[in-house]
Amino acid sequence: MATSNTTSPITPESDTEAKVEAGLDAATHSAPIVDVPYLNRRLMGTWADVRVEARKLAGDPALHRIPGLSMDEHRKRVSAQLQVLVENGHVHRAFPKELGGLGDNGGNITAFEELVSADPSLQIKGGVQWGLFGSAVLQLGTEVHHKTLLPRIMSLEVPGAFAMTETGHGSDVASVATTATFDVDSQEFDIHTPFRGAWKEYLGNAGVDGTAAVVFAQLITQGVNHGVHAFYVPIRDEKTGEFLPGVGGLDNGLKGGLNGIDNGRLHFTHVRVPRVALLNKYGDVAEDGTYSSPISSPGRRFFTMLGTLVQGRVSLDGAATAASAIGLTIAITYGNQRRQFTAGSDTDEEVLLDYQRHQRRLIPRLATTYAQTFAHDELLVKFDSVFSGETDTDDDRQDLETLAAALKPLSTWHALDALQEAREACGGAGYMAENRLVDLRSDLDVYVTFEGDNNVLLQLVAKRLLTDYSSKFKNADAGALARYVVEQAADRAYHGTGLRRLAQTVRDFGSTARSVQELRETGMQRELLTDRVETMIADLAQRLRPASKMSKAEAAEVFNSVQNELIEAARAHGELLQWEAFTRAVEQIEDAGTRQVMDWLHDVFGLGLIEKHLAWYLIHGRLSPQRAQAITAYIDRLIARLRPHAQDLVDAFGYGPEHLRAVIADGSEQARQDEARAYYAELRASGDAPVDEKTLRTKKR
Ligand SMILES: Cc1cc2nc3c(=O)[nH]c(=O)nc-3n(C[C@H](O)[C@H](O)[C@H](O)COP(=O)(O)OP(=O)(O)OC[C@H]3O[C@@H](n4cnc5c(N)ncnc54)[C@H](O)[C@@H]3O)c2cc1C
């Protein structure tokens, strides 16, 4: 079967159009070659050296997940593996230099996310210890906490939990019910769980190993509740492992994945901790019980505190992208070797990846994984510049949080989708634990709801987009506003009745070939993708405008009535961010062959987004039905062109057999296929091959 599509579904209609087509095809005929090591360097990103080193470590069998271990065995293995991370200093990059760290925030996340290839349980358990528990002490505490607490956290002498979620409140952290009431007489905080719903829930390290926890509780002093603050609370006797007086808890037991981690519940009955247990960077209580904070607004203070913990989301974005890359590498490698059915030959069976459907299933997902890889690197750079203090204004922090809240949902959902498709694309073999895909999928499952549930995070993004939108008009004079309203009205008149005015720039006459050429242009893709986000947000803003004059209940109802669209708009924004990052990355590729293939892959991603939302583009008159059809046909052609490069594109991720650890991707399928084909070839050549009944009948006729 053809490995590249030579029949164009789009027929040129004139000489000029034929030239346009020829231009599109020119690179195919000159057979571009992907420079795999070069592309690998680009994919490794800004902290490439750290990534190479961390990936080497992740290839160490001592850190690998062994399928089929019991929960207890898996937990013990992961706990021991954490010690290996301590010994080689892998986990201390983000900590201050004066405490033996490197003060390297971007490098730290880079290294952490690489652990996903060894075992997601190891990545997350390490994330709990150093990325959440340790990081809360670092980011929310002050010098005294850093000096007294961090060394033992870094060395793992104190394994700890990050106790934010409660049984009754997960996404709505501001409403947690655990209280921390200051007692002036004893100079202590009284940590208390007032009812069952206030038990701390799902906490990593709390089931067995944790001897301390950073507990998030409502800070009450002098009869005033100052909102959620973090407290350092010892929970277990370090020698015996027994709960300390007043502390209780339960093991969460077996989960849908990540069973190398001991998640558990905790509750507190008037547990006393000294005043200094308050991690007091953003809020403090004096000896006389007076509360003070550098941030006067309780709302802003709360979001600033939570914002310091954004790195969890950043690292999940990277880890989910890495897991997608691993899954697709396994499926594409196998799809390039396995043969099934004879379609165009009496003797040779077809390679799975030569089937169009197989290409359609895997190559667009590969394009998305590339987009995410580049977008993630930009997120890491932003994260590093904020956390290093290089660009650390309020706006920068907000931008970082919005970026993380937009990208983490998309990449974690994509990981589940890509891993499931990869598993199906490998047939029965994909279902075997020895081929990694099922375990990776079940371990990655919870990434979509922890560190901020995806649907909740996207609402934060949408709210930010709405705020930005309204601030655009904050200083507008009456004339500008009036013009805007008129334009909106005119625009609305076009909706559903034909092409919208703006879409006139996407001229929709002439040949299909030319319109495809236009759609391939970066500027045109940008316009279509941006227009969708802007239109959705403008539309929502208009519908929400009356809410400002309504009662709280009425306003909430109006807001809720557009919630689904809000989330869709945020998603569209996230997709645009990924597309922009992919565009910037492709533009920097100097090697001609690699650039050509990357241009195609980029177009598959960009046009794929437009294809995914075709209904919207058609309903809103942005695309004509003809052009919409042409997009799908053109994506098919691009995918066929990319097919011969699919192996190079996954090899460029740079995962070795020690990371893939899938027996269907280690060359043994190729060996089996070669053996079988050699056997039949020899049999045919020998003249001793039994005659096929069907062939015999045909001959007789
Ligand atoms: C394996 C695991 C490990 C974890 N580790 C920790 C840890 O170490 N420390 C810690 O503090 N927490 C931890 N968590 C908790 C985790 O962060 C929470 O599960 C998460 O914040 C979601 O909260 P929830 O489970 O209460 O879901 P809920 O907040 O109840 O959400 C349930 C569903 O309702 C939807 N929903 C919620 N609010 C809205 C809304 N306003 N609009 C529309 N839809 C909404 C959500 O999208 C979600 O689908 C862990 C959880 C798991 C499963």
Side-chain angles (χ1 to χ4, degrees), residues 349-600:
E349 293 166 296
E350 303 302 337
V351 171
L352 290 182
L353 202 58
D354 282 343
Y355 289 109
Q356 189 198 38
R357 177 69 172 178
H358 218 71
Q359 296 163 14
R360 254 284 181 179
R361 292 164 73 186
L362 298 175
I363 291 175
R365 289 178 170 88
L366 182 59
T368 305
T369 308
Y370 263 70
Q372 284 180 186
T373 304
F374 296 124
H376 178 65
D377 195 54
E378 293 193 355
L379 174 59
L380 273 182
V381 170
K382 181 80 196 163
F383 169 75
D384 187 73
S385 84
V386 169
F387 275 68
S388 67
E390 200 180 303
T391 53
D392 186 13
T393 63
D394 258 9
D395 277 353
D396 286 313
R397 290 225 165 217
Q398 275 190 42
D399 286 349
L400 168 63
E401 280 159 38
T402 311
L403 194 57
L407 296 182
K408 179 260 178 185
L410 269 59
S411 55
T412 53
W413 272 325
H414 172 68
L416 298 192
D417 171 59
L419 289 167
Q420 180 63 22
E421 200 62 50
R423 119 91 190 105
E424 290 177 36
C426 296
Y431 196 59
M432 298 299 112
E434 65 179 8
N435 288 316
R436 298 284 306 286
L437 299 166
V438 275
D439 279 347
L440 263 180
R441 197 200 171 286
S442 58
D443 284 339
L444 269 280
D445 191 329
V446 72
Y447 285 39
V448 303
T449 58
F450 69 13
E451 291 290 342
D453 171 84
N454 283 359
N455 282 296
V456 173
L457 287 181
L458 288 176
Q459 289 179 64
L460 296 182
V461 177
K463 282 177 190 161
R464 172 77 195 274
L465 293 174
L466 281 170
T467 313
D468 284 359
Y469 179 84
S470 60
S471 64
K472 231 177 22 185
F473 296 99
K474 215 186 262 169
N475 302 319
D477 61 16
L481 273 177
R483 271 196 306 282
Y484 168 74
V485 172
V486 171
E487 276 176 21
Q488 286 294 304
D491 180 32
R492 280 177 167 271
Y494 281 100
H495 282 227
T497 57
L499 285 178
R500 181 181 176 252
R501 191 177 37 76
L502 181 126
Q504 295 300 321
T505 55
V506 190
R507 285 184 321 280
D508 209 63
F509 41 80
S511 76
T512 318
R514 191 179 295 140
S515 45
V516 163
Q517 171 72 339
E518 279 181 0
L519 284 166
R520 280 204 64 206
E521 284 165 15
T522 303
M524 187 59 67
Q525 288 178 27
R526 177 176 289 122
E527 186 166 331
L528 284 166
L529 295 171
T530 310
D531 176 35
R532 180 159 180 266
V533 181
E534 287 185 352
T535 307
M536 289 169 108
I537 291 296
D539 199 35
L540 285 161
Q542 274 209 331
R543 287 158 65 190
L544 287 170
R545 193 160 292 177
S548 60
K549 297 195 183 77
M550 290 177 178
S551 69
K552 195 175 174 189
E554 284 170 334
E557 206 179 313
V558 171
F559 204 81
N560 197 36
S561 71
V562 298
Q563 191 190 34
N564 194 48
E565 284 168 73
L566 269 173
I567 292 174
E568 284 309 308
R571 211 178 167 134
H573 177 67
E575 289 169 348
L576 174 62
L577 293 172
Q578 291 179 337
W579 180 88
E580 292 281 9
F582 200 171
T583 307
R584 280 188 283 276
V586 171
E587 282 168 359
Q588 284 166 20
I589 288 179
E590 298 117 6
D591 176 71
T594 309
R595 170 68 192 255
Q596 175 63 82
V597 173
M598 289 294 282
D599 275 337
W600 291 336

Side-chain angles (χ1 to χ4, degrees), residues 124 128 132 161-173 200-205 216 252 255 257-258 261 263 446 449-456 459 560 563 567:
I124 298 299
V128 168
L132 290 173
F162 177 84
M164 183 181 266
T165 305
E166 293 178 355
T167 310
H169 289 99
S171 302
D172 183 6
V173 178
K200 294 292 175 185
E201 183 71 271
Y202 313 126
L203 320 175
N205 264 345
F216 289 80
N252 278 135
K255 304 183 293 285
L258 296 184
I261 307 171
N263 292 86
V446 72
T449 58
F450 69 13
E451 291 290 342
D453 171 84
N454 283 359
N455 282 296
V456 173
Q459 289 179 64
N560 197 36
Q563 191 190 34
I567 292 174

Side-chain angles (χ1 to χ4, degrees), residues 672-684:
R672 277 193 294 274
Q673 294 290 344
D674 292 347
E675 183 196 10
R677 295 176 93 204
Y679 169 83
Y680 284 119
E682 203 177 310
L683 195 61
R684 280 194 301 275

Side-chain angles (χ1 to χ4, degrees), residues 19-37:
K19 276 182 200 138
V20 170
E21 275 293 273
L24 285 176
D25 282 341
T28 321
H29 297 313
S30 62
I33 293 170
V34 176
D35 182 340
V36 175

